[in-house]
Amino acid sequence: MIKFSVNIHRGCFGGCAFCTISAHQGKFIVSRSKESILKEVKAVMELPDFKGYLSDLGGPSANMYKMRGRDEAMCKKCKRPSCIHPKVCPNLNTDHSPLLDIYHAVDSLPGIKKSFIGSGVRYDLLLHQSKDPKTNKSTQEYTRELIVRHVSGRLKVAPEHTSERVLSIMLPVALQQAINMGVNMLDTIMLGQFGEVQISSSSLANQYYNFFTIFCMGIIGGSSVLAAQYWGAREVEKVRQTFNMALRMALTLASVFAVLTWCFPAQIMSIYTSEAHVVEQGVRYLRITTFVFIIHGTSLVAAQLMRSVGQAQLGLIVSCVSFVVNLIANYAFIFGKFGAPRMEIAGAALGTLLARTSEFLATFGYILFKDKELGLRIKHLLHMPGEEFFSNYLRLGLPVLVSDGLLGLGGNIVSIILGHMGAAVVAANAICQVIDRLFTVVIQGISNASSIVTGHTLGEGSREKAMQQGYTFYVLSIFFGLIAAVMVLACGPLTIAMYTLNDETILMTEEMMGAYAVIVFFQCIQSVMTKGVLRGGGDTKFLMKADILFMWLVSIPLGGVGGLLLGWPAWLTILALRVDY
């Protein structure tokens, strides 16, 4: 591409935080003369393998040629890193006429069949409305010329994000996930000071609790599709009914789990492992966890649904509160600090209970008494939604609930298989899962954002726009999947060093960390495209069939036979168990 391209200017006044062009080329645009550009184009035309197609007429950005401040004295005093963000500077001359003149001059040369623009186009300059009608006309002409005559099949744009709405949802969600993963990592590290047994016990007990949260996410998945689409159509009352239905389902589900946990903790732990000392420690954890189900289930559903109406910040704020409470409580009760009793694994469970209680109070305090946009109040929760609404909810929500429920059961089968391979395997997997989740937090944010944005777009009736957004989210999932895989490999050894483990468990954890680097890449793509885009588009029945069939017909049988019957090593077993990604 570079061989048949011509650079027409240097410098960039975009000022993007992730880019260093302005640092080494300067903020002010230095443009080549028309004669110099044409001279180089003619030189390129003389190359023996030139076929008449210029791959690029551009620079650091495609459409900044000859642009500068109208009063350059003002520019020399200005301290802004960007001339166009958050708004285009009124002193900036955004006239595209000189650039159009270059395009026309190059295209008129004999032997030039097509001149493409391969550099990134600053679309914000194309959308900007100047006070000068002549400048606005030149921008319109440039946009048309660019699209009709200079695009080779894919138009490149800069900056790399194109939607403030996606970032406003994605970033708080990603930060919230990072905080939650930080809490989990602190729990595991603290209990890791007491050896493999307590790590294994808490990990297996949490797998049972995660089974409950997956059902909650199924409730959220179905209801968020409806809530996002109703919010996009500005049907606020139906959004409230969606909240009402989801909270009722979460309360019912949590009550069932709480009763089972209180009555049968030893039997529950015995499903996951046959090692008596692991079961004993797990029962200590589950007894306290009994009181967490109702307060966490309802607050989790409520906070997640608030994202569907564009209020992703609530979950972030609540998670920050929970993080502080959990950190202090865990330290106090696990190790017996600040005059508290030393409870070890039971202290971790108590810390979780106190943290979830703070989440509950903060979440419902805001939603029911302070929020004005949705306006959900206690009186709205006292009325049963209508039969027509209930049928519509089941049409979209039931496949999601069934799908996530069976996926959650499948995840528990995975834990059961690993649990019966020994405490060392469970401990190694728990450590790997912490680092895996820590580096997939951004993708969880993108997944949530893609579902909500897709739902809003379809609710507005823009099907074609939703398709284009889906392609964008697919590319993002690949990019962040690669980053996550590299980070798992890079940070795995540092993470393992934080734990008190024997040599066998350390070696096993190192091997499993390599397997998780492969898993996390495909997990990122799957999460965005299935849990995000397709689910946000309402295609829940297909996802239910695809998720269930592959997990239950391929990954679980393969991992179970390999790990329990054929004696595969832990890293190969986990790859087999996660092959459904």
Side-chain angles (χ1 to χ4, degrees):
M1 173 182 174
I2 297 175
K3 185 176 182 180
F4 302 126
S5 66
V6 176
N7 189 40
I8 62 176
H9 73 83
R10 66 178 175 87
C12 179
F13 47 70
C16 298
F18 51 80
C19 181
T20 60
I21 288 177
S22 59
H24 61 76
Q25 290 194 17
K27 177 181 174 181
F28 299 104
I29 303 301
V30 179
S31 303
R32 296 174 64 181
S33 67
K34 179 178 177 181
E35 292 73 20
S36 174
I37 294 170
L38 292 177
K39 181 178 179 181
E40 184 175 348
V41 170
K42 292 174 182 178
V44 171
M45 292 169 60
E46 297 297 324
L47 296 174
D49 49 350
F50 181 70
K51 306 297 183 183
Y53 298 94
L54 286 176
S55 56
D56 189 21
L57 275 174
S61 290
N63 55 324
M64 291 185 180
Y65 182 75
K66 292 281 188 179
M67 291 187 184
R68 60 181 61 203
R70 292 184 172 88
D71 182 353
E72 295 192 14
M74 291 177 60
C75 295
K76 292 177 181 179
K77 299 177 183 178
C78 180
K79 302 298 183 182
R80 283 177 55 180
S82 173
C83 301
I84 51 182
H85 181 79
K87 293 182 179 180
V88 177
C89 176
N91 187 48
L92 179 65
N93 182 2
T94 59
D95 186 9
H96 283 75
S97 297
L99 187 54
L100 278 171
D101 185 42
I102 295 295
Y103 289 177
H104 295 156
V106 170
D107 287 350
S108 66
L109 293 175
I112 295 294
K113 298 177 181 178
K114 205 82 170 177
S115 60
F116 296 118
I117 307 304
S119 300
V121 177
R122 289 296 306 215
Y123 63 89
D124 38 7
L125 288 174
L126 303 183
L127 297 175
H128 173 63
Q129 289 295 309
S130 170
K131 294 181 179 180
D132 180 10
K134 180 182 176 183
T135 298
N136 291 335
K137 184 179 179 181
S138 74
T139 302
Q140 293 173 0
E141 291 176 353
Y142 174 81
T143 304
R144 179 176 178 79
E145 173 88 8
L146 175 70
I147 295 171
V148 173
R149 299 182 57 84
H150 300 283
V151 178
S152 61
R154 177 175 296 174
L155 178 64
K156 295 181 181 178
V157 298
E160 273 63 13
H161 95 76
T162 59
S163 175
E164 292 292 343
R165 185 170 61 168
V166 172
L167 285 185
S168 68
I169 298 171
M170 184 187 84
L171 291 182
V173 173
L175 289 172
Q176 181 185 351
Q177 294 287 342
I179 292 170
N180 288 335
M181 289 307 103
V183 170
N184 291 339
M185 186 162 63
L186 287 172
D187 286 352
T188 307
I189 292 172
M190 288 180 185
L191 289 177
Q193 308 309 306
F194 302 102
E196 288 88 347
V197 172
Q198 296 215 25
I199 295 178
S200 301
S201 299
S202 65
S203 174
L204 292 175
N206 271 310
Q207 286 304 318
Y208 168 71
Y209 189 82
N210 287 341
F211 189 32
F212 163 73
T213 59
I214 286 174
F215 270 114
C216 289
M217 296 307 292
I219 295 172
I220 293 164
S223 55
S224 64
V225 172
L226 281 175
Q229 293 185 4
Y230 286 142
W231 189 256
R234 295 297 180 264
E235 299 184 53
V236 178
E237 184 56 39
K238 289 188 176 181
V239 178
R240 293 181 187 139
Q241 292 182 38
T242 304
F243 271 67
N244 187 355
M245 181 64 64
L247 289 173
R248 287 170 181 266
M249 294 178 67
L251 181 60
T252 302
L253 177 70
S255 300
V256 172
F257 270 84
V259 171
L260 290 175
T261 305
W262 181 257
C263 296
F264 309 106
Q267 291 85 342
I268 290 170
M269 285 301 302
S270 297
I271 295 173
Y272 293 92
T273 180
S274 57
E275 298 185 22
H277 51 300
V278 177
V279 172
E280 179 184 355
Q281 294 295 329
V283 169
R284 295 180 62 200
Y285 192 93
L286 286 178
R287 283 290 189 191
I288 298 174
T289 304
T290 300
F291 303 100
V292 178
F293 287 102
I294 292 177
I295 58 176
H296 184 220
T298 51
S299 62
L300 176 66
V301 169
Q304 293 273 343
L305 285 179
M306 289 300 285
R307 297 175 182 173
S308 300
V309 298
Q311 297 193 45
Q313 292 81 3
L314 174 62
L316 175 60
I317 295 170
V318 167
S319 292
C320 290
V321 174
S322 176
F323 176 82
V324 174
V325 173
N326 203 330
L327 177 61
I328 296 173
N330 273 6
Y331 182 71
F333 291 107
I334 290 176
F335 299 108
K337 303 295 183 179
F338 311 126
R342 174 170 161 165
M343 301 172 66
E344 298 182 2
I345 189 172
L350 182 57
T352 300
L353 174 60
L354 294 175
R356 299 310 184 192
T357 302
S358 67
E359 283 185 16
F360 179 86
L361 295 175
T363 299
F364 284 101
Y366 175 81
I367 294 175
L368 296 178
F369 301 105
K370 187 174 182 180
D371 172 61
K372 299 272 193 305
E373 289 192 51
L374 179 61
L376 183 69
R377 297 295 180 261
I378 295 176
K379 64 180 181 180
H380 297 121
L381 303 178
L382 300 178
H383 301 287
M384 179 70 72
E387 183 178 339
E388 181 181 350
F389 175 82
F390 185 75
S391 300
N392 194 28
Y393 180 88
L394 288 181
R395 178 178 60 84
L396 286 176
L398 187 60
V400 175
L401 190 58
V402 172
S403 174
D404 280 6
L406 287 173
L407 284 174
L409 180 59
N412 273 258
I413 297 296
V414 169
S415 297
I416 291 169
I417 293 171
L418 296 175
H420 286 278
M421 291 176 67
V425 175
V426 177
N429 186 59
I431 295 168
C432 290
Q433 281 188 325
V434 169
I435 198 71
D436 165 74
R437 291 169 183 170
L438 185 63
F439 290 119
T440 56
V441 292
V442 173
I443 212 67
Q444 295 302 318
I446 298 174
S447 177
N448 278 274
S450 64
S451 177
I452 293 168
V453 170
T454 301
H456 284 181
T457 304
L458 290 175
E460 295 165 359
S462 305
R463 182 179 178 84
E464 190 63 32
K465 182 180 178 181
M467 291 288 291
Q468 294 301 319
Q469 289 171 343
Y471 295 134
T472 301
F473 284 121
Y474 176 62
V475 173
L476 283 174
S477 70
I478 295 175
F479 176 71
F480 282 106
L482 288 170
I483 292 177
V486 171
M487 293 302 293
V488 168
L489 289 174
C491 297
L494 297 175
T495 305
I496 296 170
M498 298 178 182
Y499 297 86
T500 303
L501 305 170
N502 60 41
D503 293 340
E504 177 193 1
T505 307
I506 291 174
L507 178 60
M508 191 178 297
T509 308
E510 289 173 345
E511 293 174 342
M512 289 186 72
M513 201 69 75
Y516 265 94
V518 176
I519 292 168
V520 72
F521 171 72
F522 294 101
Q523 178 186 353
C524 288
I525 299 173
Q526 186 254 16
S527 179
V528 172
M529 298 312 296
T530 60
K531 307 297 184 191
V533 174
L534 293 180
R535 180 170 288 181
D539 200 355
T540 54
K541 289 184 178 179
F542 168 77
L543 295 178
M544 179 183 70
K545 295 174 183 177
D547 288 344
I548 293 171
L549 290 176
F550 206 87
M551 169 176 271
W552 286 94
L553 296 181
V554 180
S555 60
I556 289 178
L558 183 63
V561 170
L564 299 179
L565 298 181
L566 301 180
W568 285 357
W571 68 268
L572 184 56
T573 302
I574 197 65
L575 276 178
L577 290 169
R578 298 299 182 190
V579 74
D580 54 314
Y581 285 135

